[in-house]
Amino acid sequence: MEIKIALAGNPNSGKTTLFNNLTGSRQRVGNWPGVTVEKKEGPLKGTNDVTIQDLPGIYSLSPYSLEEVVSRNYLVNEKPDAILNIIDGTNIERNLYLTTQLLELGIPVVVAVNMIDLVERNGDKIDLNRLSQELGCPVMAVSALKGKGTKEVVAKAIEVAKKHQVAPIPEIYDKTVMSALSKIESALQMQIDDSMVRWYSVKVFERDERIDEFLKLTDEKKAKIEPIIKKVEEILDDDAESIITSQRYDYIGTIVQHSVKKKGSKHELSVSDKIDKIVTNRILALPIFILVMYVVYTIAMGGTSISIGTIGTDWANDVLFGEIVPNFFGGILTSLQVNDVLYGLIMDGIIGGVGAVLGFVPQILVLFLLLSIMEDIGYMSRVAFIMDRIFRRFGLSGKSFIPMLVATGCGVPGIMASRTIEQDRDRKMTIMTTGFIPCGAKMPIIGLFAGAVFGGSSLVATSAFVIGIAAVIISGIILKKFKAFAGEPAPFVMELPAYHLPSAGNVLRATWERGWSFIKRAGTVILLSSIILWFLQGFGFTDGQFGMVEDNNTSLLANIGNAIAWIFAPIGWVGDMAWKATVATFTGLIAKEEVVNTFGVLYNFSEVSEEGNEIWTLIAQDFTPIAAYSFMIFNLLCAPCFAAMGAIRREMNNTKWTMAAIGYMCLFAYVSALIVYQLVGLAIGEVAFNFWTIVALALLIGVIYLLFRPGYKPKSEALDLKGMQTAK
């Protein structure tokens, strides 16, 4: 018989870490809430009949957000054989709120007190036996990060699942909410005698409307519950939920008082608190974050002696794919005496195209490694807290930044993470703006132009991230002024986990998963497109005859590119590079890595010296600095890849909203690139004054107007303002 064990707990309590430990799975682990946004499952290592299920982090069974709905519905409707409730031992009081609700479900529960190593390091003591007695279920200590106690706790969960050991609902219920019911009964001036009726009443008071269970009740019990609900809504104005919440915490307080002994003074600051006084300071927080990102991009993509990512990429481009791989395959092909067409396909198409993308793997891996370390130590949670202050000023919820953090790896899970945002308008706006954040697939574009045109400047690489954040903020201000997005942003409450040393396993796993996704596409989508691109840019019509061309400016691909390149002439894509830039942009819709892959195929077709790869030199000859920056801005901000568009379609669940989101991104990217190219180019002397300069100036004025114009006010709010003015 298959046994299903659900991992349930608060966000950031260590569920996914424990899940990976128990199953060997490579699910993503992040040190901020909201990483798991849907139920995941895997078999327990060494077994075939035990399934471990990782549920989204929730604070209670009273659902406010979509991830809470996912967990609540699964636990209530599908009913696993046992619940393994993971609680953070360093913040036990808050975590036990969910525990008291889980114990009322009638499903066997085992409580795993996680991060016990941190508890011991702090000098605190938790009486597990007393805690077990108070809760009426097994309580065990674990350290999911170090694998301590994980085998024992899952064995206990399997044991109680087989025996179905669970405390009776009324017993647990009476301990937690009896006094709350007394207050409710007093307010309603009625007595509730039936314990199950009382229990279901409380579930309704807590916004936990178990419709299926409610329908199973007899008509007599329904008749008793329905007037209770109605009277509570009328008399207490939905305050019953607050009353029961308060009573739960009172009960939890007595448990903690009996079971937990804190070593430090109640008001003594922890090490994490002391660090946070600096890194989350209102004045210093943002400069520190920008400095941190500058250091990260310097190490990963800069042009300094500590830029190990660039050193690796230079070796990959100049030696590995510039000499070793071409010489190896060139020698084989020459010895086989293959014809020129096949030689060109393999050397210029496949090796040139795929190699141009894979050459950036060292930079990508170093960047992902540094971001994973920042996630694991807990700094990224602080970044979300910092950005909440900024985002809320501009009409965005701080929760919007969590999908954007996830999107630094890949836009698809970033877009999916937007489902954790409760309000529909905020969720839609987050989906429309998450694609502005540079994902891993866009990093080669940044690395290519930073290296080829800007001498490996760390500022150029860092500015790409800053541009993404600026695009989100500007979009937030503009969109919030329209009726579809108007209203206060959703409240953002999140836990700041304690800082800790990064786990090598978590960091390397996260780095590899992100990096492997990048490499895998190079061996599939990019390989196929390289072959197609090579054919289109290598063949064309010359003097009415179809065949290979010596100059790819006369190729089929050039003809296609030139037919639509005029669209991008105002943003600086002119001359022979115009069609190349246009084609690269459109192939980037397949996958953003395709942009660099396309340049690799197109410029490898040109004559190169025997010393090695001259693609960067050729790109620098074609692109002026301002044109290169314009190209980079447009490709960072425009419509994402097809996979991300599919994610937008799934999350929007509406064709019109999907098209609106993609259209907005393309329009915003074009306007931004036009303003930068025309006005900045004019200021630095690279662009002469022309008609499009006037258009760019008009668009800049238009953007400023949209930023500062009065926004839409809901009727109720408008009436309130009118009443206040009349009173004055």
Side-chain angles (χ1 to χ4, degrees):
M1 183 182 71
E2 184 182 13
I3 295 175
K4 293 184 178 181
I5 299 174
L7 305 184
N10 287 185
N12 211 57
S13 60
K15 298 181 307 305
T16 306
T17 303
L18 181 60
F19 179 74
N20 289 341
N21 184 286
L22 295 176
T23 65
S25 172
R26 293 180 177 178
Q27 295 298 337
R28 177 106 185 281
V29 180
N31 198 10
W32 71 72
V35 172
T36 306
V37 293
E38 56 187 8
K39 177 174 70 71
K40 298 180 177 69
E41 62 181 34
L44 177 67
K45 284 190 294 187
T47 69
N48 295 319
D49 58 349
V50 178
T51 300
I52 307 297
Q53 298 162 323
D54 181 23
L55 302 179
I58 55 175
Y59 289 105
S60 76
L61 292 180
S62 307
Y64 285 90
S65 62
L66 289 180
E67 72 268 30
E68 289 181 330
V69 172
V70 170
S71 295
R72 195 283 306 268
N73 287 349
Y74 175 77
L75 292 171
V76 171
N77 298 326
E78 297 189 35
K79 296 188 182 299
D81 298 297
I83 297 173
L84 189 50
N85 175 215
I86 298 90
I87 65 175
D88 178 358
T90 64
N91 200 348
I92 196 168
E93 187 167 359
R94 176 182 51 70
N95 282 244
L96 284 177
Y97 185 90
L98 175 63
T99 305
T100 63
Q101 291 186 316
L102 294 175
L103 290 168
E104 295 174 8
L105 291 174
I107 301 171
V109 175
V110 174
V111 175
V113 181
N114 193 23
M115 307 182 195
I116 196 65
D117 52 328
L118 296 180
V119 173
E120 294 170 349
R121 188 186 308 165
N122 294 336
D124 300 337
K125 294 183 179 180
I126 299 176
D127 188 337
L128 299 177
N129 292 328
R130 181 63 182 270
L131 191 57
S132 177
Q133 292 173 6
E134 293 280 356
L135 295 174
C137 69
V139 178
M140 304 177 70
V142 302
S143 174
L145 195 63
K146 297 183 177 180
K148 178 181 177 182
T150 55
K151 292 182 180 178
E152 292 79 3
V153 78
V154 75
K156 176 59 71 174
I158 295 172
E159 178 186 332
V160 299
K162 290 179 178 178
K163 295 181 179 179
H164 202 77
Q165 294 178 348
V166 58
I169 290 174
E171 178 182 339
I172 300 299
Y173 156 80
D174 285 338
K175 287 183 179 181
T176 55
V177 295
M178 186 183 297
S179 57
L181 275 172
S182 298
K183 292 184 179 181
I184 293 172
E185 289 172 349
S186 175
L188 297 174
Q189 297 181 350
M190 64 186 298
Q191 188 70 29
I192 308 173
D193 297 322
D194 191 300
S195 62
M196 289 303 295
V197 172
R198 295 185 318 178
W199 185 73
Y200 280 113
S201 300
V202 170
K203 296 300 97 187
V204 175
F205 293 155
E206 292 183 312
R207 301 191 333 110
D208 192 358
E209 301 178 27
R210 306 180 184 193
I211 298 174
D212 292 340
E213 295 292 338
F214 184 82
L215 292 176
K216 293 177 184 177
L217 296 179
T218 64
D219 292 338
E220 181 183 355
K221 289 184 177 180
K222 287 181 187 177
K224 290 182 179 180
I225 293 175
E226 287 168 350
I228 294 174
I229 299 171
K230 185 176 180 180
K231 281 184 174 290
V232 168
E233 290 176 346
E234 292 175 356
I235 300 174
L236 297 182
D237 193 24
D238 292 329
D239 286 340
E241 182 181 356
S242 300
I243 294 173
I244 294 176
T245 299
S246 176
Q247 295 305 312
R248 283 195 187 276
Y249 275 117
D250 287 346
Y251 168 63
I252 292 168
T254 61
I255 295 178
V256 173
Q257 186 178 1
H258 296 153
S259 308
V260 181
K261 302 296 180 186
K262 296 281 187 180
K263 178 183 178 182
S265 170
K266 187 175 181 180
H267 301 291
E268 183 180 348
L269 291 177
S270 66
V271 174
S272 291
D273 292 333
K274 292 175 181 177
I275 297 173
D276 283 340
K277 286 177 71 70
I278 299 173
V279 300
T280 63
N281 180 276
R282 287 185 175 274
I283 298 174
L284 298 177
L286 192 57
I288 290 174
F289 173 54
I290 293 175
L291 178 62
V292 168
M293 294 307 297
Y294 175 77
V295 172
V296 166
Y297 277 103
T298 297
I299 295 174
M301 311 182 78
T304 68
S305 58
I306 64 169
S307 301
I308 55 178
T310 301
I311 294 172
T313 287
D314 288 344
W315 178 84
N317 283 330
D318 298 338
V319 180
L320 182 61
F321 293 106
E323 298 177 5
I324 297 176
V325 174
N327 291 342
F328 175 75
F329 284 98
I332 293 176
L333 295 174
T334 300
S335 64
L336 294 175
Q337 296 182 341
V338 299
N339 60 40
D340 292 342
V341 174
L342 182 59
Y343 186 91
L345 169 62
I346 295 174
M347 297 300 293
D348 296 332
I350 297 175
I351 295 177
V354 176
V357 176
L358 291 180
F360 289 95
V361 167
Q363 286 183 331
I364 300 299
L365 290 180
V366 172
L367 179 64
F368 286 163
L369 177 69
L370 297 174
L371 291 176
S372 298
I373 291 173
M374 293 191 337
E375 291 170 11
D376 208 50
I377 64 176
Y379 179 66
M380 282 305 195
S381 289
R382 275 70 185 178
V383 174
F385 173 73
I386 294 164
M387 296 309 297
D388 175 56
R389 294 176 182 169
I390 299 172
F391 276 23
R392 291 190 71 80
R393 290 178 180 270
F394 304 118
L396 281 167
S397 167
K399 276 195 172 183
S400 299
F401 195 68
I402 294 175
M404 293 170 193
L405 285 174
V406 177
T408 57
C410 177
V412 174
I415 292 166
M416 291 174 60
S418 65
R419 64 181 62 168
T420 63
I421 301 171
E422 300 91 342
Q423 294 183 359
D424 184 64
R425 59 175 182 265
D426 289 344
R427 184 165 58 253
K428 283 187 170 72
M429 190 158 62
T430 301
I431 293 170
M432 292 176 69
T433 55
T434 294
F436 289 148
I437 301 299
C439 65
K442 295 177 183 177
M443 291 303 155
I445 303 174
I446 300 169
L448 176 66
F449 285 96
V453 182
F454 298 101
S457 172
S458 301
L459 287 173
V460 170
T462 307
S463 71
F465 192 83
V466 174
I467 286 170
I469 297 294
V472 171
I473 292 174
I474 292 171
S475 296
I477 298 173
I478 292 175
L479 294 177
K480 267 293 181 180
K481 294 178 185 287
F482 289 91
K483 182 178 180 179
F485 302 101
E488 289 297 317
F492 179 48
V493 179
M494 72 173 297
E495 174 192 2
L496 294 182
Y499 290 102
H500 59 73
L501 292 175
S503 162
N506 283 347
V507 170
L508 293 177
R509 183 186 294 114
T511 303
W512 172 247
E513 286 173 3
R514 290 168 164 177
W516 175 241
S517 175
F518 179 84
I519 296 170
K520 188 165 56 176
R521 277 201 273 190
T524 53
V525 176
I526 295 173
L527 175 61
L528 177 62
S529 62
S530 292
I531 296 172
I532 297 172
L533 285 170
W534 175 84
F535 173 78
L536 290 175
Q537 62 85 52
F539 288 81
F541 289 93
T542 305
D543 298 328
Q545 297 292 322
F546 180 78
M548 290 194 71
V549 296
E550 296 182 1
D551 183 359
N552 61 10
N553 287 305
T554 62
S555 66
L556 293 173
L557 195 60
N559 291 332
I560 296 171
N562 283 321
I564 54 178
W566 59 270
I567 298 173
F568 302 101
I571 62 176
W573 305 3
V574 294
D576 288 343
M577 72 84 162
W579 71 267
K580 297 175 183 176
T582 302
V583 169
T585 297
F586 276 90
T587 57
L589 296 176
I590 301 171
K592 287 302 176 182
E593 299 96 333
E594 284 286 350
V595 174
V596 173
N597 170 55
T598 302
F599 283 134
V601 173
L602 297 180
Y603 284 102
N604 258 307
F605 186 87
S606 303
E607 189 69 30
V608 296
S609 69
E610 297 179 357
E611 285 77 14
N613 195 326
E614 294 181 344
I615 293 177
W616 285 24
T617 303
L618 295 171
I619 288 176
Q621 291 173 0
D622 274 355
F623 285 84
T624 64
I626 192 63
Y629 206 74
S630 167
F631 179 88
M632 191 173 73
I633 287 176
F634 183 82
N635 278 272
L636 292 179
L637 301 180
C638 74
C641 64
F642 288 150
M645 290 185 199
I648 292 174
R649 176 68 180 85
R650 288 192 299 272
E651 298 305 315
M652 287 291 194
N653 197 28
N654 183 287
T655 302
K656 289 183 179 179
W657 273 106
T658 302
M659 298 305 295
I662 295 171
Y664 175 78
M665 284 186 271
C666 291
L667 178 63
F668 189 93
Y670 193 90
V671 170
S672 300
L674 181 65
I675 291 172
V676 168
Y677 178 76
Q678 293 292 339
L679 300 185
V680 177
L682 180 66
I684 63 177
E686 283 194 28
V687 177
F689 186 85
N690 62 87
F691 169 76
W692 290 107
T693 308
I694 300 173
V695 174
L697 183 61
L699 287 172
L700 178 61
I701 294 171
V703 170
I704 294 172
Y705 167 74
L706 290 174
L707 288 172
F708 292 99
R709 78 180 182 95
Y712 170 81
K713 298 288 185 183
K715 287 185 178 180
S716 58
E717 186 176 344
L719 288 173
D720 290 344
L721 291 174
K722 185 177 180 180
M724 291 174 61
Q725 292 172 353
T726 303
K728 289 181 180 179

